Coordinates of all heavy atoms in Angstrom, one line a residue:
M1269 N 13.7 -5.7 -12.3 CA 12.9 -6.5 -11.4 C 11.5 -6.7 -12.0 O 10.9 -5.7 -12.6 CB 12.7 -5.7 -10.0 CG 11.9 -6.4 -9.0 SD 11.9 -5.6 -7.4 CE 13.5 -6.2 -6.8
S1270 N 10.9 -7.8 -11.9 CA 9.6 -8.1 -12.6 C 8.5 -7.5 -11.8 O 8.6 -7.1 -10.6 CB 9.4 -9.6 -12.6 OG 9.2 -10.2 -11.3
D1271 N 7.4 -7.2 -12.5 CA 6.2 -6.6 -11.9 C 5.6 -7.6 -10.9 O 5.3 -8.7 -11.2 CB 5.2 -6.3 -13.0 CG 4.0 -5.6 -12.5 OD1 3.6 -5.7 -11.4 OD2 3.4 -4.8 -13.3
F1272 N 5.5 -7.1 -9.7 CA 4.9 -7.9 -8.5 C 3.6 -8.5 -8.9 O 3.3 -9.6 -8.5 CB 4.9 -7.0 -7.3 CG 4.7 -7.8 -6.0 CD1 5.7 -8.4 -5.4 CD2 3.4 -7.8 -5.4 CE1 5.5 -9.1 -4.2 CE2 3.2 -8.5 -4.2 CZ 4.3 -9.1 -3.6
T1273 N 2.7 -7.8 -9.6 CA 1.4 -8.3 -9.9 C 1.4 -9.4 -10.9 O 0.4 -10.0 -11.1 CB 0.5 -7.1 -10.3 OG1 1.0 -6.6 -11.5 CG2 0.3 -6.1 -9.2
T1274 N 2.5 -9.6 -11.6 CA 2.5 -10.7 -12.6 C 2.9 -12.0 -11.9 O 2.7 -13.1 -12.5 CB 3.5 -10.4 -13.8 OG1 4.8 -10.3 -13.3 CG2 3.1 -9.2 -14.5
T1275 N 3.5 -11.9 -10.8 CA 3.9 -13.1 -10.1 C 3.0 -13.5 -8.9 O 3.2 -14.6 -8.3 CB 5.4 -13.0 -9.5 OG1 5.5 -11.8 -8.7 CG2 6.4 -12.9 -10.7
H1276 N 2.1 -12.6 -8.6 CA 1.1 -12.9 -7.5 C -0.3 -12.5 -7.9 O -0.6 -11.3 -8.0 CB 1.5 -12.1 -6.2 CG 2.8 -12.4 -5.6 ND1 4.0 -11.9 -6.1 CD2 3.1 -13.2 -4.6 CE1 5.0 -12.4 -5.3 NE2 4.5 -13.2 -4.4
L1277 N -1.1 -13.5 -8.3 CA -2.4 -13.2 -8.7 C -3.2 -12.4 -7.7 O -3.9 -11.4 -8.1 CB -3.2 -14.5 -9.1 CG -4.6 -14.3 -9.5 CD1 -4.7 -13.5 -10.7 CD2 -5.3 -15.7 -9.7
E1278 N -3.1 -12.7 -6.4 CA -3.8 -12.0 -5.4 C -3.4 -10.5 -5.4 O -4.2 -9.7 -5.1 CB -3.6 -12.7 -4.0 CG -4.6 -12.1 -3.0 CD -4.5 -12.9 -1.7 OE1 -3.6 -13.7 -1.5 OE2 -5.3 -12.6 -0.8
A1279 N -2.1 -10.3 -5.6 CA -1.6 -8.9 -5.6 C -2.3 -8.1 -6.8 O -2.6 -7.0 -6.7 CB -0.1 -8.8 -5.8
A1280 N -2.4 -8.8 -7.9 CA -3.1 -8.2 -9.1 C -4.5 -7.8 -8.8 O -5.0 -6.7 -9.2 CB -3.0 -9.1 -10.3
I1281 N -5.2 -8.7 -8.1 CA -6.6 -8.4 -7.7 C -6.7 -7.3 -6.7 O -7.5 -6.4 -6.8 CB -7.2 -9.7 -7.1 CG1 -7.4 -10.8 -8.2 CG2 -8.6 -9.4 -6.5 CD1 -7.7 -12.2 -7.7
I1282 N -5.8 -7.3 -5.7 CA -5.7 -6.2 -4.8 C -5.5 -4.8 -5.5 O -6.1 -3.8 -5.2 CB -4.7 -6.4 -3.7 CG1 -5.2 -7.6 -2.8 CG2 -4.4 -5.2 -2.8 CD1 -4.1 -8.1 -1.8
D1283 N -4.5 -4.9 -6.4 CA -4.2 -3.7 -7.2 C -5.4 -3.1 -7.9 O -5.7 -1.9 -7.9 CB -3.0 -4.0 -8.1 CG -2.9 -2.9 -9.2 OD1 -2.6 -1.8 -8.8 OD2 -3.1 -3.2 -10.4
Q1284 N -6.1 -4.0 -8.6 CA -7.2 -3.5 -9.4 C -8.4 -3.0 -8.5 O -9.0 -2.1 -8.9 CB -7.7 -4.7 -10.3 CG -6.8 -5.0 -11.5 CD -6.6 -3.7 -12.3 OE1 -7.5 -3.2 -12.9 NE2 -5.3 -3.2 -12.4
S1285 N -8.6 -3.7 -7.4 CA -9.6 -3.3 -6.5 C -9.3 -1.9 -5.9 O -10.1 -1.0 -5.9 CB -9.7 -4.3 -5.3 OG -10.7 -3.8 -4.4
A1286 N -8.0 -1.7 -5.5 CA -7.6 -0.4 -5.0 C -7.7 0.7 -6.1 O -8.2 1.8 -5.8 CB -6.2 -0.4 -4.4
A1287 N -7.4 0.4 -7.3 CA -7.4 1.3 -8.4 C -8.9 1.8 -8.6 O -9.1 3.0 -8.9 CB -6.9 0.7 -9.7
G1288 N -9.8 0.9 -8.4 CA -11.2 1.3 -8.6 C -11.7 2.1 -7.5 O -12.4 3.2 -7.6
V1289 N -11.4 1.7 -6.2 CA -11.9 2.4 -5.0 C -11.3 3.7 -4.9 O -12.0 4.7 -4.5 CB -11.7 1.5 -3.8 CG1 -12.0 2.3 -2.5 CG2 -12.5 0.2 -3.8
F1290 N -10.0 3.9 -5.2 CA -9.3 5.1 -4.9 C -9.0 5.9 -6.2 O -8.1 6.7 -6.2 CB -8.0 4.8 -4.1 CG -8.3 4.1 -2.8 CD1 -8.0 2.8 -2.7 CD2 -9.0 4.8 -1.8 CE1 -8.3 2.1 -1.5 CE2 -9.3 4.1 -0.6 CZ -8.9 2.8 -0.5
S1291 N -9.8 5.6 -7.2 CA -9.6 6.3 -8.5 C -9.6 7.8 -8.3 O -10.4 8.4 -7.6 CB -10.7 5.9 -9.5 OG -10.6 6.6 -10.7
G1292 N -8.6 8.5 -8.9 CA -8.4 9.9 -8.9 C -7.8 10.4 -7.6 O -7.6 11.6 -7.5
K1293 N -7.4 9.5 -6.7 CA -6.7 9.9 -5.5 C -5.3 9.4 -5.5 O -5.0 8.4 -6.1 CB -7.4 9.4 -4.3 CG -8.9 9.9 -4.1 CD -9.5 9.3 -2.9 CE -10.9 9.9 -2.7 NZ -11.5 9.4 -1.5
A1294 N -4.4 10.1 -4.8 CA -3.0 9.7 -4.6 C -3.0 8.7 -3.4 O -3.5 9.1 -2.3 CB -2.1 10.9 -4.3
Y1295 N -2.6 7.5 -3.6 CA -2.6 6.5 -2.5 C -1.3 5.7 -2.5 O -0.6 5.6 -3.6 CB -3.8 5.7 -2.5 CG -3.9 4.8 -3.7 CD1 -3.4 3.5 -3.7 CD2 -4.5 5.2 -4.9 CE1 -3.5 2.6 -4.8 CE2 -4.7 4.4 -6.0 CZ -4.2 3.1 -6.0 OH -4.3 2.3 -7.1
A1296 N -1.1 5.0 -1.4 CA 0.1 4.1 -1.3 C -0.3 2.9 -0.5 O -1.1 3.0 0.5 CB 1.3 4.8 -0.7
F1297 N 0.3 1.8 -0.8 CA 0.1 0.6 0.1 C 1.0 0.6 1.2 O 2.2 1.0 1.1 CB 0.3 -0.7 -0.8 CG -0.8 -0.9 -1.8 CD1 -0.5 -0.4 -3.1 CD2 -1.9 -1.5 -1.6 CE1 -1.5 -0.5 -4.1 CE2 -2.9 -1.7 -2.6 CZ -2.7 -1.2 -3.8
V1298 N 0.5 0.2 2.4 CA 1.3 0.1 3.6 C 1.2 -1.2 4.3 O 0.1 -1.8 4.2 CB 1.0 1.3 4.6 CG1 1.3 2.7 4.0 CG2 -0.5 1.3 5.0
A1299 N 2.2 -1.6 5.1 CA 2.1 -2.8 5.9 C 1.8 -2.3 7.3 O 2.4 -1.3 7.9 CB 3.5 -3.5 6.0
V1300 N 0.7 -2.8 7.9 CA 0.3 -2.4 9.2 C 0.1 -3.6 10.2 O -0.2 -4.7 9.7 CB -1.1 -1.6 9.2 CG1 -0.9 -0.3 8.4 CG2 -2.1 -2.4 8.5
T1301 N 0.3 -3.4 11.5 CA 0.2 -4.4 12.4 C -1.3 -4.7 12.7 O -2.1 -3.8 12.7 CB 0.9 -4.1 13.7 OG1 0.9 -5.2 14.6 CG2 0.3 -2.9 14.4
C1302 N -1.6 -6.0 12.9 CA -3.0 -6.4 13.1 C -3.0 -7.5 14.2 O -2.9 -8.7 13.9 CB -3.6 -6.9 11.8 SG -5.2 -7.5 11.9
G1303 N -2.9 -7.1 15.5 CA -2.8 -8.1 16.5 C -1.4 -8.8 16.4 O -0.4 -8.2 16.5
N1304 N -1.5 -10.1 16.3 CA -0.3 -10.9 16.2 C 0.2 -11.1 14.7 O 1.1 -11.9 14.4 CB -0.4 -12.3 16.8 CG -0.6 -12.2 18.3 OD1 0.0 -11.3 18.9 ND2 -1.3 -13.1 18.9
E1305 N -0.6 -10.5 13.8 CA -0.3 -10.6 12.4 C 0.0 -9.3 11.8 O -0.1 -8.2 12.5 CB -1.5 -11.3 11.6 CG -1.7 -12.7 12.1 CD -2.9 -13.3 11.3 OE1 -4.0 -12.7 11.3 OE2 -2.8 -14.4 10.9
W1306 N 0.2 -9.3 10.5 CA 0.4 -8.0 9.7 C -0.6 -8.1 8.6 O -1.0 -9.1 8.2 CB 1.8 -7.9 9.2 CG 2.8 -7.6 10.3 CD1 3.4 -8.5 11.2 CD2 3.3 -6.3 10.7 NE1 4.1 -7.8 12.1 CE2 4.1 -6.5 11.8 CE3 3.1 -5.0 10.2 CZ2 4.7 -5.4 12.4 CZ3 3.7 -4.0 10.8 CH2 4.5 -4.2 11.9
Q1307 N -1.0 -6.9 8.1 CA -1.8 -6.9 6.9 C -1.5 -5.7 6.1 O -0.7 -4.8 6.5 CB -3.3 -6.8 7.4 CG -3.8 -5.5 7.9 CD -5.2 -5.5 8.4 OE1 -5.6 -6.2 9.3 NE2 -6.1 -4.9 7.6
L1308 N -2.1 -5.6 4.9 CA -1.9 -4.5 4.0 C -3.0 -3.4 4.3 O -4.1 -3.7 4.8 CB -2.1 -4.9 2.6 CG -1.0 -5.8 2.0 CD1 -1.4 -6.2 0.6 CD2 0.3 -5.0 1.9
G1309 N -2.6 -2.2 4.0 CA -3.6 -1.1 4.1 C -3.3 -0.1 3.0 O -2.3 -0.2 2.3
V1310 N -4.2 0.8 2.8 CA -4.1 1.8 1.7 C -4.1 3.1 2.4 O -5.1 3.5 3.1 CB -5.1 1.7 0.6 CG1 -5.0 2.9 -0.3 CG2 -5.0 0.4 -0.1
A1311 N -3.1 3.9 2.3 CA -3.0 5.3 2.8 C -3.4 6.2 1.7 O -2.8 6.1 0.6 CB -1.7 5.6 3.4
V1312 N -4.4 7.1 1.9 CA -4.8 8.0 0.9 C -4.3 9.4 1.3 O -4.5 9.8 2.4 CB -6.3 8.0 0.7 CG1 -6.8 9.1 -0.3 CG2 -6.8 6.6 0.3
A1313 N -3.7 10.1 0.3 CA -3.1 11.4 0.6 C -4.1 12.3 1.2 O -5.2 12.4 0.7 CB -2.5 12.0 -0.7
N1314 N -3.7 13.0 2.3 CA -4.5 14.0 3.0 C -5.8 13.5 3.6 O -6.6 14.3 4.0 CB -4.8 15.2 2.0 CG -3.5 15.7 1.3 OD1 -2.5 15.9 2.0 ND2 -3.6 16.0 0.0
E1315 N -5.9 12.2 3.8 CA -7.0 11.6 4.5 C -6.5 10.9 5.8 O -5.5 10.2 5.7 CB -7.8 10.7 3.6 CG -8.5 11.3 2.5 CD -9.3 10.4 1.6 OE1 -9.5 9.2 2.1 OE2 -9.7 10.8 0.5
A1316 N -7.1 11.1 6.9 CA -6.6 10.5 8.1 C -6.7 9.0 8.1 O -7.6 8.4 7.6 CB -7.5 11.1 9.3
G1317 N -5.7 8.4 8.7 CA -5.7 6.9 8.9 C -5.4 6.2 7.6 O -4.7 6.7 6.7
Y1318 N -5.8 4.9 7.6 CA -5.6 4.1 6.4 C -6.8 3.2 6.2 O -7.7 3.1 7.1 CB -4.3 3.2 6.6 CG -4.5 2.1 7.6 CD1 -4.9 0.9 7.3 CD2 -4.2 2.4 9.0 CE1 -5.0 -0.1 8.2 CE2 -4.3 1.4 9.9 CZ -4.7 0.2 9.5 OH -4.9 -0.8 10.5
N1319 N -6.9 2.6 5.1 CA -8.0 1.7 4.7 C -7.5 0.3 4.7 O -6.6 -0.1 3.9 CB -8.6 2.0 3.3 CG -9.0 3.5 3.3 OD1 -10.1 3.8 3.6 ND2 -8.1 4.4 2.9
P1320 N -8.0 -0.6 5.7 CA -7.4 -2.0 5.8 C -7.8 -2.8 4.6 O -8.9 -2.6 4.0 CB -8.1 -2.5 7.0 CG -9.3 -1.7 7.3 CD -9.0 -0.3 6.7
I1321 N -6.9 -3.7 4.2 CA -7.2 -4.7 3.2 C -7.1 -6.1 3.9 O -6.2 -6.3 4.6 CB -6.1 -4.7 2.1 CG1 -6.2 -3.3 1.3 CG2 -6.3 -5.8 1.1 CD1 -5.1 -3.1 0.3
P1322 N -8.1 -6.9 3.7 CA -8.2 -8.2 4.4 C -7.2 -9.2 3.9 O -7.6 -10.4 3.6 CB -9.6 -8.6 4.3 CG -10.1 -8.1 3.0 CD -9.3 -6.7 2.9
K1323 N -6.0 -8.9 3.8 CA -4.9 -9.8 3.4 C -3.9 -9.8 4.6 O -3.3 -8.8 4.9 CB -4.2 -9.3 2.1 CG -2.9 -10.0 1.8 CD -3.1 -11.4 1.4 CE -1.8 -12.1 1.0 NZ -1.8 -13.5 1.1
T1324 N -3.7 -10.9 5.3 CA -2.9 -11.0 6.5 C -1.6 -11.7 6.2 O -1.6 -12.6 5.3 CB -3.6 -11.5 7.7 OG1 -4.0 -12.9 7.4 CG2 -4.7 -10.7 8.1
F1325 N -0.6 -11.4 6.9 CA 0.7 -12.1 6.8 C 1.2 -12.4 8.2 O 0.9 -11.8 9.2 CB 1.7 -11.1 6.2 CG 1.3 -10.6 4.8 CD1 0.5 -9.4 4.8 CD2 1.6 -11.2 3.7 CE1 0.1 -8.9 3.6 CE2 1.2 -10.7 2.4 CZ 0.4 -9.6 2.4
K1326 N 2.1 -13.4 8.3 CA 2.7 -13.8 9.6 C 3.8 -13.0 10.0 O 4.2 -12.9 11.2 CB 3.1 -15.3 9.5 CG 1.8 -16.2 9.4 CD 2.2 -17.6 9.5 CE 0.9 -18.3 9.3 NZ 0.8 -19.7 9.4
S1327 N 4.5 -12.2 9.0 CA 5.6 -11.4 9.4 C 5.5 -10.0 8.7 O 4.9 -9.8 7.7 CB 6.9 -12.1 8.9 OG 7.0 -12.1 7.5
Q1328 N 6.2 -9.1 9.4 CA 6.3 -7.8 8.9 C 7.0 -7.7 7.6 O 6.7 -7.0 6.7 CB 7.0 -6.8 9.9 CG 7.1 -5.4 9.4 CD 7.9 -4.6 10.4 OE1 8.8 -5.0 11.1 NE2 7.7 -3.3 10.3
R1329 N 8.1 -8.5 7.5 CA 8.9 -8.6 6.3 C 8.0 -8.9 5.0 O 8.1 -8.3 4.0 CB 10.0 -9.6 6.4 CG 10.9 -9.8 5.2 CD 11.7 -11.0 5.1 NE 10.9 -12.3 5.2 CZ 10.2 -12.8 4.2 NH1 10.1 -12.2 3.1 NH2 9.5 -13.9 4.4
E1330 N 7.2 -9.9 5.2 CA 6.3 -10.3 4.0 C 5.3 -9.2 3.7 O 5.1 -8.9 2.5 CB 5.6 -11.6 4.3 CG 4.9 -12.2 3.1 CD 4.2 -13.5 3.4 OE1 4.0 -13.9 4.6 OE2 3.7 -14.1 2.4
A1331 N 4.7 -8.6 4.7 CA 3.7 -7.6 4.5 C 4.4 -6.4 3.8 O 3.8 -5.8 2.8 CB 3.1 -7.1 5.8
K1332 N 5.6 -6.0 4.2 CA 6.3 -4.9 3.6 C 6.7 -5.3 2.2 O 6.7 -4.4 1.3 CB 7.6 -4.6 4.4 CG 7.3 -3.8 5.7 CD 8.6 -3.5 6.5 CE 9.4 -2.5 5.7 NZ 10.5 -2.0 6.5
E1333 N 7.1 -6.5 1.9 CA 7.4 -6.9 0.5 C 6.2 -6.7 -0.4 O 6.4 -6.2 -1.5 CB 7.8 -8.4 0.5 CG 8.2 -8.9 -0.8 CD 8.5 -10.4 -0.7 OE1 9.6 -10.7 -0.2 OE2 7.7 -11.3 -1.2
W1334 N 5.0 -7.1 0.1 CA 3.8 -6.9 -0.7 C 3.5 -5.4 -0.9 O 3.2 -5.0 -2.1 CB 2.7 -7.6 -0.1 CG 2.6 -9.1 -0.5 CD1 3.5 -10.1 -0.2 CD2 1.5 -9.7 -1.2 NE1 3.0 -11.2 -0.7 CE2 1.8 -11.0 -1.3 CE3 0.3 -9.2 -1.7 CZ2 1.0 -12.0 -1.9 CZ3 -0.5 -10.1 -2.3 CH2 -0.2 -11.5 -2.4
A1335 N 3.6 -4.7 0.1 CA 3.3 -3.2 0.0 C 4.3 -2.6 -0.9 O 3.9 -1.8 -1.8 CB 3.4 -2.6 1.4
E1336 N 5.6 -2.9 -0.8 CA 6.6 -2.3 -1.7 C 6.4 -2.7 -3.1 O 6.5 -1.9 -4.1 CB 8.0 -2.7 -1.2 CG 8.3 -1.9 0.1 CD 9.6 -2.5 0.8 OE1 10.2 -3.5 0.2 OE2 10.0 -1.9 1.8
G1337 N 6.0 -4.0 -3.4 CA 5.8 -4.5 -4.7 C 4.6 -3.8 -5.3 O 4.6 -3.4 -6.5
L1338 N 3.5 -3.7 -4.6 CA 2.3 -3.0 -5.1 C 2.6 -1.5 -5.4 O 2.2 -1.0 -6.4 CB 1.2 -3.2 -4.1 CG 0.6 -4.6 -4.1 CD1 -0.3 -4.8 -2.9 CD2 -0.3 -4.8 -5.4
N1339 N 3.4 -0.9 -4.5 CA 3.7 0.5 -4.7 C 4.6 0.7 -6.0 O 4.4 1.6 -6.7 CB 4.4 1.1 -3.5 CG 3.4 1.4 -2.4 OD1 2.3 1.8 -2.6 ND2 3.9 1.2 -1.1
R1340 N 5.5 -0.2 -6.2 CA 6.3 -0.1 -7.4 C 5.4 -0.3 -8.6 O 5.6 0.4 -9.6 CB 7.4 -1.2 -7.4 CG 8.6 -0.9 -6.6 CD 9.8 -1.9 -6.9 NE 9.4 -3.2 -6.8 CZ 9.4 -4.0 -5.7 NH1 9.8 -3.4 -4.6 NH2 9.1 -5.2 -5.7
H1341 N 4.5 -1.2 -8.5 CA 3.6 -1.4 -9.7 C 2.8 -0.1 -10.0 O 2.5 0.1 -11.2 CB 2.6 -2.5 -9.3 CG 1.6 -2.7 -10.4 ND1 1.9 -3.3 -11.6 CD2 0.3 -2.4 -10.4 CE1 0.8 -3.4 -12.3 NE2 -0.2 -2.8 -11.7
I1342 N 2.4 0.7 -9.0 CA 1.6 1.9 -9.3 C 2.5 3.1 -9.5 O 2.0 4.2 -9.6 CB 0.5 2.1 -8.3 CG1 1.1 2.4 -6.9 CG2 -0.5 1.0 -8.3 CD1 0.1 2.8 -5.9
G1343 N 3.8 2.9 -9.5 CA 4.8 4.0 -9.8 C 5.2 4.8 -8.6 O 5.7 5.9 -8.8
R1344 N 5.0 4.3 -7.4 CA 5.4 5.0 -6.2 C 6.8 4.7 -5.8 O 7.1 3.5 -5.7 CB 4.4 4.7 -5.0 CG 3.0 5.1 -5.2 CD 2.8 6.4 -4.5 NE 1.5 6.9 -4.9 CZ 1.3 7.9 -5.7 NH1 2.2 8.6 -6.1 NH2 0.0 8.3 -6.0
N1345 N 7.6 5.7 -5.6 CA 8.9 5.5 -5.0 C 8.8 5.7 -3.5 O 7.8 6.1 -3.0 CB 10.0 6.4 -5.6 CG 9.7 7.9 -5.5 OD1 9.0 8.3 -4.5 ND2 10.2 8.7 -6.4
D1346 N 9.9 5.4 -2.8 CA 9.9 5.5 -1.3 C 9.5 6.9 -0.8 O 8.8 7.1 0.1 CB 11.3 5.1 -0.7 CG 11.5 3.6 -0.8 OD1 10.6 2.9 -1.1 OD2 12.7 3.3 -0.7
E1347 N 10.1 7.9 -1.5 CA 9.8 9.3 -1.1 C 8.3 9.7 -1.2 O 7.7 10.3 -0.3 CB 10.6 10.3 -2.0 CG 10.5 11.7 -1.6 CD 11.4 12.6 -2.4 OE1 12.6 12.3 -2.5 OE2 10.8 13.6 -3.0
S1348 N 7.6 9.2 -2.3 CA 6.2 9.6 -2.5 C 5.4 8.8 -1.5 O 4.4 9.3 -1.0 CB 5.8 9.3 -3.9 OG 5.8 7.9 -4.2
V1349 N 5.8 7.5 -1.2 CA 5.0 6.8 -0.2 C 5.1 7.4 1.2 O 4.1 7.6 1.9 CB 5.6 5.3 -0.1 CG1 5.0 4.6 1.1 CG2 5.3 4.6 -1.4
I1350 N 6.3 7.9 1.6 CA 6.5 8.5 2.9 C 5.7 9.8 2.9 O 5.1 10.1 4.0 CB 8.0 8.8 3.1 CG1 8.7 7.5 3.4 CG2 8.2 9.7 4.3 CD1 10.2 7.5 3.3
A1351 N 5.7 10.6 1.9 CA 4.9 11.8 1.8 C 3.4 11.5 2.0 O 2.7 12.3 2.8 CB 5.2 12.6 0.5
I1352 N 2.9 10.5 1.4 CA 1.5 10.2 1.5 C 1.2 9.7 3.0 O 0.2 10.2 3.6 CB 1.1 9.1 0.5 CG1 1.0 9.7 -0.9 CG2 -0.3 8.5 0.9 CD1 0.9 8.7 -2.0
I1353 N 2.0 8.9 3.5 CA 1.8 8.4 4.9 C 1.9 9.6 5.9 O 1.0 9.7 6.7 CB 2.9 7.3 5.3 CG1 2.7 6.1 4.4 CG2 2.8 7.0 6.7 CD1 3.8 5.0 4.5
C1354 N 2.8 10.5 5.7 CA 2.9 11.6 6.6 C 1.6 12.5 6.5 O 1.1 13.0 7.5 CB 4.1 12.5 6.3 SG 5.6 11.7 6.9
S1355 N 1.1 12.6 5.3 CA -0.1 13.4 5.1 C -1.3 12.8 5.8 O -2.3 13.5 6.2 CB -0.4 13.7 3.7 OG -1.0 12.6 3.1
T1356 N -1.3 11.5 6.1 CA -2.5 10.9 6.7 C -2.4 11.1 8.2 O -3.4 10.8 8.9 CB -2.5 9.3 6.4 OG1 -1.4 8.7 7.1 CG2 -2.5 9.0 5.0
M1357 N -1.3 11.5 8.7 CA -1.1 11.7 10.2 C -1.2 13.2 10.6 O -0.7 13.6 11.6 CB 0.2 11.1 10.6 CG 0.2 9.6 10.4 SD 1.7 8.9 11.1 CE 2.8 9.2 9.7
G1358 N -1.8 14.0 9.7 CA -1.9 15.4 10.0 C -0.6 16.2 9.7 O -0.4 17.3 10.1
G1359 N 0.3 15.6 9.0 CA 1.6 16.2 8.6 C 1.4 17.1 7.4 O 0.3 17.5 7.1
R1360 N 2.5 17.3 6.7 CA 2.5 18.2 5.5 C 1.5 17.6 4.5 O 1.5 16.4 4.2 CB 3.9 18.3 4.9 CG 3.9 19.0 3.6 CD 5.3 19.0 3.0 NE 6.0 20.1 3.6 CZ 7.3 20.3 3.5 NH1 8.0 19.4 2.8 NH2 7.9 21.3 4.1
R1361 N 0.7 18.5 3.9 CA -0.3 18.0 2.9 C 0.5 17.7 1.6 O 1.5 18.3 1.3 CB -1.3 19.1 2.6 CG -2.2 19.2 3.9 CD -3.4 20.1 3.7 NE -4.3 19.7 2.6 CZ -5.2 18.7 2.7 NH1 -5.4 18.1 3.8 NH2 -6.0 18.4 1.7
V1362 N 0.0 16.7 0.9 CA 0.6 16.3 -0.4 C -0.1 16.9 -1.5 O -1.4 16.9 -1.6 CB 0.6 14.7 -0.5 CG1 1.1 14.3 -1.8 CG2 1.4 14.1 0.6
E1363 N 0.6 17.4 -2.5 CA 0.0 17.9 -3.7 C -0.5 16.7 -4.5 O 0.3 15.8 -4.8 CB 1.0 18.8 -4.5 CG 0.5 19.4 -5.8 CD -0.6 20.4 -5.5 OE1 -0.4 21.2 -4.6 OE2 -1.6 20.5 -6.3
T1364 N -1.7 16.7 -4.9 CA -2.2 15.5 -5.5 C -2.6 15.7 -7.0 O -3.2 14.8 -7.6 CB -3.5 15.0 -4.8 OG1 -4.5 16.0 -4.8 CG2 -3.2 14.5 -3.4
V1365 N -2.2 16.8 -7.6 CA -2.5 17.0 -9.0 C -1.5 16.4 -9.9 O -0.4 16.2 -9.6 CB -2.5 18.5 -9.3 CG1 -2.7 18.8 -10.7 CG2 -3.6 19.2 -8.5

């Protein structure tokens, strides 16, 4: 499968922005509801909540596609994404070393 950030310029920009803001932290991209739309967010391991990204979508499917593509780009598999998301809700803490 091709790298999501090579086929979507906006995804590449979002990726680079997140890499700078969350440097040194374990994070994952997530699709979140935003009223009647969906948007991207960044979940940071062991930090409550998520950080919204001002990129909206009309469907959950499209938002999830972007989140999954960005997560693949940064080397996150489904298991690591789930662990990070759970840690943001007061669940099991994630080892970030």
Side-chain angles (χ1 to χ4, degrees):
M1269 180 174 284
S1270 67
D1271 185 330
F1272 193 77
T1273 61
T1274 63
T1275 56
H1276 296 85
L1277 176 60
E1278 191 173 10
I1281 293 167
I1282 289 169
D1283 165 62
Q1284 289 300 299
S1285 177
V1289 171
F1290 304 108
S1291 177
K1293 297 182 177 186
Y1295 65 91
F1297 292 94
V1298 294
V1300 295
T1301 188
C1302 177
N1304 293 330
E1305 297 179 311
W1306 288 82
Q1307 73 181 72
L1308 290 175
V1310 175
V1312 179
N1314 307 319
E1315 294 182 10
Y1318 70 93
N1319 302 274
I1321 295 174
K1323 167 71 177 156
T1324 59
F1325 304 91
K1326 292 185 181 180
S1327 71
Q1328 179 185 27
R1329 180 197 57 75
E1330 187 179 14
K1332 284 180 70 174
E1333 178 183 290
W1334 274 63
E1336 290 169 358
L1338 286 162
N1339 284 326
R1340 278 193 310 272
H1341 175 74
I1342 63 172
R1344 294 263 172 250
N1345 61 26
D1346 290 344
E1347 186 177 305
S1348 68
V1349 170
I1350 291 168
I1352 289 171
I1353 292 169
C1354 288
S1355 79
T1356 70
M1357 295 184 278
R1360 174 183 277 170
R1361 295 189 57 81
V1362 173
E1363 183 66 39
T1364 58
V1365 175

